[in-house]
Amino acid sequence: MKWKKYRLKTTEGAEDIIISALYDCGIEGAEIEDKVPLTEDEKAQMFVDIMPDMPEDDGIAWLDFYLDPEKDDVDRILADAKQALEELRKTCDIGEGTIEESETEDTDWVNNWKQYFHQFSVDDILITPSWEEVKEEDKNKMILHIDPGTAFGTGMHETTQLCIRQLKKYVTPGCEMLDVGTGSGILGITAVKLGAGHVLGTDLDPCAVPAVDDNKKANGVDDDHFQMIIGNMIDDQATRDRAGYDRYDIVTANILADILVFMTPAVVPAMKKGGIYITSGILEDQAWKVLDACKAAGLEVVEQTQQGEWVSITARRN
């Protein structure tokens, strides 16, 4: 099915009021494209080490919206939208306020991203999405069924693979593990499959809850072995209290170097004496930050591994 796409040119300052006016005309949503610089808080929430180069802010905003010719009264909606723009023009700067029309295919965005995710192995562990079959020659491997959903990765990234290899070394039968920034739950599920007795995952993003639940079910992991909570281990005392103290044999944190600097002293009290701290998400030239943070928190660095430009640092609480 083909949709009508409309692209409205306006100013950044008028985005919200125009979207409200479009809603009143029967247009239920619009995509916003502008060049407003990211705030420091927004940059922090992106969890990336290297920010992309952003174009210079020119004050222009584009609002894209879509109408279905088979269901929507397109002529009426457009006429009302144009009238609303003229009314707004009398009281605020809406820039050009022009609307361009084009046609677009009805694309299955929810499922098309799946073409980019395929099964892969980390040594003798096979990680596979639900839409791919396990080959006969791989059936003797430990198999993890991980669907990333639209919010989290499958584990293909080097940082996750580095953590998985460390879990293979340090997970012991019945051990307790805390996974900070659990995402899809891949590290927690791996630990349970390797014999961990219980995993607690924490994350800031509520989308992690259904992602982890789905992946637990796909791997036969129940709530007794893997639970998760939404909360911030760095500065939320209630989250730290729920996680507990002197409890965990292993703590994993596959995040970013700058966040690990603050995370490390916050999670040490949760670890048992002799507990292992596995970190990754660290670019090679940022590794010194995490090494210093571990030492400052009283941890002994026992191993540093690397894959490509990414580093994993493993430390012990003595």
Side-chain angles (χ1 to χ4, degrees), residues 58-71:
D58 56 9
I60 295 173
W62 297 89
L63 307 180
D64 295 337
F65 59 92
Y66 301 84
L67 297 174
D68 180 355
E70 296 181 7
K71 297 180 181 179

Side-chain angles (χ1 to χ4, degrees), residues 159-160 163-164 167 176-192 198-204 208 212 225-231 233 239 243 248-255 260 263 267 270-271 276-280:
T159 62
T160 310
C163 287
I164 289 174
L167 288 176
E176 291 259 342
M177 181 175 123
L178 173 65
D179 182 26
V180 182
T182 198
S184 68
I186 185 171
L187 295 183
I189 291 168
T190 300
V192 172
H198 181 264
V199 175
L200 177 69
T202 73
D203 206 288
L204 300 179
V212 170
H225 288 91
F226 188 176
Q227 297 172 300
M228 77 159 296
I229 58 176
I230 297 299
M233 285 292 295
T239 300
Y248 297 99
D249 302 284
I250 297 174
V251 174
T252 51
N254 180 18
I255 308 180
L260 288 169
M263 181 68 67
V267 300
M271 299 170 63
I276 293 294
Y277 182 45
I278 299 171
T279 69
S280 194

